Amino acid sequence: MSESQAWDDVDDYFTTHLSPDDEPLAAALRDSAAAGLPQVNVTANQGKFLQLLAQIQGARRILEIGTLGGYSTIWLGRALPADGRLISLEYSARHAEVANRNIARAGLDALVEVRVGPALESLPQLTDENPEPFDLVFIDADKANNPHYVEWALRLTRAGSVIVVDNVVRGGRVTDADSAEPDIRGTRAAIELIATHPKLSGTAIQTVGGKGYDGFALARVLE
């Protein structure tokens, strides 16, 4: 058995027992694939991790940067109380259309709002609304802008809030300090920002599984 096959098999085992898709989640994946969306959504295990993290955090307000087809949005939305709110920012109007259908089918349209446009335009507009601080921010969009997203997340959170940045390992390429690739440069800048910012305490975890070799960074906003 190859190493990657072992990763897949373990992922399948954990998913079957701990985070099986129900029909709204499975339908979200099917409809996203049928619409031609990139198959880069989180895995079921990762979605369940996000949901548990939001529940442990007691999150009432969640900000997601990068909606895609709404699969991770559904996992996160299900962690919210009845008076909770999730705002998800999506660059592509086509992706947002698919996501809104998936979110509505999951019965979360009253809790979730998908805003369309470049996140670096939506985030200042959101800040101008002077919203209640977000308890959790999930960043899973274009990696070149990761440091900017972390900076905006800091403006929109409070002490004790949690920031998650997905896909930070990049198949191990994150260690290449000489890389000219925008995703690597952006990811490294975000990691270094978390490491040096006085208001953040963070770590990063490598993962393997159905989506290959990657990982995520986790940061807590300090006093």
Side-chain angles (χ1 to χ4, degrees):
M1 180 187 295
S2 69
E3 189 175 62
S4 61
Q5 184 60 56
W7 295 349
D8 290 348
D9 290 349
V10 171
D11 234 16
D12 289 343
Y13 172 75
F14 287 151
T15 296
T16 298
H17 288 279
L18 299 173
S19 52
D21 281 342
D22 54 25
E23 181 52 28
L25 286 166
L29 293 178
R30 288 196 306 267
D31 285 6
S32 295
L37 272 60
Q39 300 301 289
V40 293
N41 50 272
V42 301
T43 64
N45 282 331
Q46 292 164 349
K48 184 65 172 293
F49 170 81
L50 290 170
Q51 183 186 83
L52 288 170
L53 185 61
Q55 290 170 328
I56 292 167
Q57 178 71 357
R60 291 183 54 256
R61 290 180 55 81
I62 297 173
L63 174 63
E64 179 181 51
I65 303 175
T67 318
L68 195 59
Y71 184 74
S72 58
T73 318
I74 293 171
W75 280 107
L76 285 165
R78 287 178 170 179
L80 289 171
D83 62 346
R85 188 70 170 159
L86 190 160
I87 295 177
S88 188
L89 309 181
E90 172 54 46
Y91 177 83
S92 167
R94 183 164 161 270
H95 294 179
E97 181 181 355
V98 174
N100 277 321
R101 289 198 301 268
N102 290 333
I103 291 162
R105 179 171 46 217
L108 294 169
D109 45 323
L111 298 179
V112 176
E113 177 189 359
V114 178
R115 299 191 180 188
V116 179
L120 291 181
E121 295 178 8
S122 300
L123 286 162
Q125 294 168 1
L126 179 58
T127 305
D128 287 344
E129 297 170 15
N130 193 29
E132 184 180 345
F134 291 95
D135 305 300
L136 186 146
V137 179
F138 178 48
I139 299 171
D140 189 14
D142 58 306
K143 311 309 174 186
N145 282 314
N146 272 345
H148 303 303
Y149 297 147
V150 172
E151 289 170 347
W152 279 106
L154 270 169
R155 300 187 195 189
L156 290 160
T157 51
R158 56 171 174 79
S161 293
V162 169
I163 301 169
V164 182
V165 186
D166 202 12
N167 307 127
V168 299
V169 173
R170 316 302 295 160
R173 293 184 296 129
V174 71
T175 61
D176 184 0
D178 298 321
S179 176
E181 295 297 319
D183 65 320
I184 301 303
R185 293 175 67 88
T187 299
R188 287 177 62 89
I191 294 296
E192 289 158 18
L193 174 61
I194 292 170
T196 59
H197 200 289
K199 288 186 63 179
L200 289 174
S201 175
T203 190
I205 302 294
Q206 301 179 76
T207 62
V208 297
K211 293 299 175 66
Y213 174 37
D214 214 324
F216 63 91
L218 178 70
R220 183 173 184 268
V221 181
L222 303 176
E223 296 292 344

